[in-house]
Amino acid sequence: MNRPAIAVTGLGMITPAGHTTDTTWDGVCRGESFARTVPELHGCAVDFACTVTGIDLDGSVGGRTAFRMGRYVKFAVLAAREAVTDAGLDPAHWDGARVAVVVGTSSGGSAGLTEQAVALERRGPEATSPSGILLTIPSMPAAEIAIQMKATGPSLAPCTACSSGVTALSVARDMLALGQCDIAIAGATESIVFPVAMTGFARSGAAALRDGDPARLCRPFAADRAGLVMGEGAAIMVLERADDARARGAVPRALLAGTGATTDAHHPTSPHPSGAVAQAAVDAALADAGWRAEDVDHVNAHGTSTPLNDATEAALIGRAYPHRPPVTAPKGVLGHCMGAAGAIEAGLTVLTLQHGIVPPIANLDAPDPGFAIDCVTKIPRELPVRRAVSHSFGFGGQNAVIALQALYQHEYLDRGSAYR
């Protein structure tokens, strides 16, 4: 099959590091964690997280619709607006029937459901919101984006735990390749920093427990890594066929070259200790892109800072990329944004391709001596990055990998439809 090249023409982000793509990138490149004590978590075993602060979400969403949106939906709407503007598109002038929306999430509106349950128990039915159901449905980010953007094409909400973002981008890529749409607004969003979820992660043993400054607790690939720190946010991309983007005069940020997905079929929370099935997702993404392993210039790792996950992934990286490309792990800065993590990290990989900068891993002086990987530490590393991959591995053994390729303007304009 002569599949068309798929271009990333727009990118929008809202994360603990910033409310836009540029401010997020600046924060990640500083390599300092945004974890802090969260007053709403007072009394919980885990009372800290990386949260989005310093923004009036209702005011930013505007209009009379914010009341019906959960926090995770507002994140997605704001990121989508930025992405569409970044792509140079105007919903007032596109054929909405040819625009698809694919936005993943892991837990959807579980925070909203919990709030409504508490209100019902404490104060009765009249205390609950008439929009209570809308605050909980996982497909509402995609639905609200479609409403705002007048996108009447397919609208989907993939859920593959922490790999939901990469799954959404992969589905959107396939829809474009199959001609089911001409523009895809795709990514993921998450907001589950609330007592029930945080208690659950603490009880599961996955979360880091307070031991001094929260900003020092997330240490991906460190010998003394002690568990994940929660984050929240959203990242949305606009994807188009490269030829279509060229025809309207747009210069893409990058190409989505390939994706791969597998399932461990091993355990609900623990990765398969061999890492073989996750590595098969890497191999599939490389084959889809038409790359050899040694073509990869950079790996954006899943890097959760949990003992088992980091050990399994480090071994995988050592096997899959024996030439030791530089590795980063943004969760040290942003926390684990769960369902949104894959989309956010794919977005950061796009920015690495554009800027030739690999951000450092927060709180890491040197990787565990048992890990044969080249971790970027302390300061950003400047180097030309032409091809990069981003890993996402989720509960349930959900493995998704995305391969992204730099696209230089002169090549894009000169080579035309050779990007296939």
Side-chain angles (χ1 to χ4, degrees):
M1 176 182 177
N2 188 19
R3 191 176 63 208
I6 303 302
V8 180
T9 56
L11 177 60
M13 304 177 81
I14 178 167
T15 72
H19 308 148
T20 65
T21 296
D22 288 345
T23 54
T24 291
W25 177 245
D26 289 345
V28 170
C29 286
R30 287 199 298 273
E32 299 174 355
S33 172
F34 283 84
R36 64 178 184 88
T37 300
V38 178
E40 292 80 5
L41 299 177
H42 178 72
C44 295
V46 176
D47 63 353
F48 54 89
C50 298
T51 58
V52 175
T53 60
I55 182 172
D56 175 2
L57 290 174
D58 288 354
S60 296
V61 169
R64 301 176 61 184
T65 60
F67 76 94
R68 71 188 187 204
M69 299 183 192
R71 185 174 174 88
Y72 71 116
V73 179
K74 295 169 188 174
F75 287 162
V77 166
L78 294 176
R81 288 180 185 171
E82 183 188 9
V84 170
T85 299
D86 183 51
L89 292 166
D90 183 350
H93 298 106
W94 66 26
D95 179 1
R98 299 296 298 165
V99 180
V101 182
V102 188
V103 180
T105 184
S106 177
S107 67
S110 56
L113 178 62
T114 301
E115 291 171 0
Q116 294 302 302
V118 170
L120 175 63
E121 181 175 354
R122 291 181 178 177
R123 301 192 301 278
E126 296 303 316
T128 64
S129 171
S131 300
I133 295 299
L134 298 181
L135 298 174
T136 69
I137 301 174
S139 62
M140 289 314 298
E144 290 287 3
I145 290 170
I147 291 168
Q148 296 215 356
M149 302 294 177
K150 305 301 180 186
T152 58
S155 176
L156 304 174
C159 176
T160 53
C162 305
S163 60
S164 296
V166 171
T167 300
L169 294 168
S170 179
V171 169
R173 187 279 304 264
D174 290 347
M175 293 172 69
L176 285 161
L178 292 170
Q180 295 174 347
C181 61
D182 296 326
I183 297 168
I185 302 169
T189 186
E190 196 79 272
S191 178
I192 57 171
V193 179
F194 68 104
V196 172
M198 300 301 287
T199 300
F201 279 102
R203 292 280 292 164
S204 74
L209 301 180
R210 180 179 284 277
D211 180 17
D213 182 1
R216 297 291 301 171
L217 296 181
C218 190
R219 303 182 287 271
F221 299 115
D224 62 347
R225 60 194 183 280
L228 65 83
V229 172
M230 191 64 70
E232 64 176 2
I236 302 292
M237 294 184 188
V238 173
L239 304 179
E240 302 176 67
R241 289 180 288 272
D243 286 348
D244 292 347
R246 183 182 302 104
R248 69 178 182 86
V251 178
R253 286 180 176 266
L255 293 178
L256 199 171
T259 62
T262 60
T263 308
D264 281 352
H266 168 68
H267 190 272
T269 59
S270 298
H272 194 287
S274 73
V277 183
Q279 186 171 342
V282 171
D283 295 341
L286 297 181
D288 192 29
W291 301 352
R292 301 166 300 170
E294 55 267 33
D295 292 330
V296 175
D297 300 314
H298 163 56
V299 176
N300 188 307
H302 187 58
T304 59
S305 187
T306 55
L308 185 56
N309 281 273
D310 282 10
T312 302
E313 187 176 17
L316 181 162
I317 291 170
R319 292 192 308 269
Y321 316 100
H323 58 300
R324 296 188 65 179
V327 174
T328 194
K331 292 180 181 67
V333 173
L334 302 175
H336 194 332
C337 297
M338 307 310 289
I344 291 170
E345 289 160 17
L348 295 173
T349 305
V350 167
L351 295 171
T352 285
L353 293 167
Q354 286 193 279
H355 297 297
I357 296 173
V358 179
I361 301 173
N363 300 319
L364 181 65
D365 295 323
D368 186 313
F371 298 165
I373 59 176
D374 178 17
C375 289
V376 177
T377 63
K378 301 183 184 301
I379 61 173
R381 186 181 302 180
E382 296 186 24
L383 76 165
V385 178
R386 184 62 186 266
R387 297 178 180 89
V389 296
S390 184
H391 297 171
S392 291
F393 307 133
F395 276 2
Q398 311 266 11
N399 307 309
V401 177
I402 189 168
L404 295 155
Q405 182 172 332
L407 185 58
Y408 303 123
Q409 183 171 353
H410 69 280
E411 294 178 325
Y412 177 71
L413 296 175
D414 292 344
R415 294 182 62 178
S417 59
Y419 281 99
R420 294 189 182 276

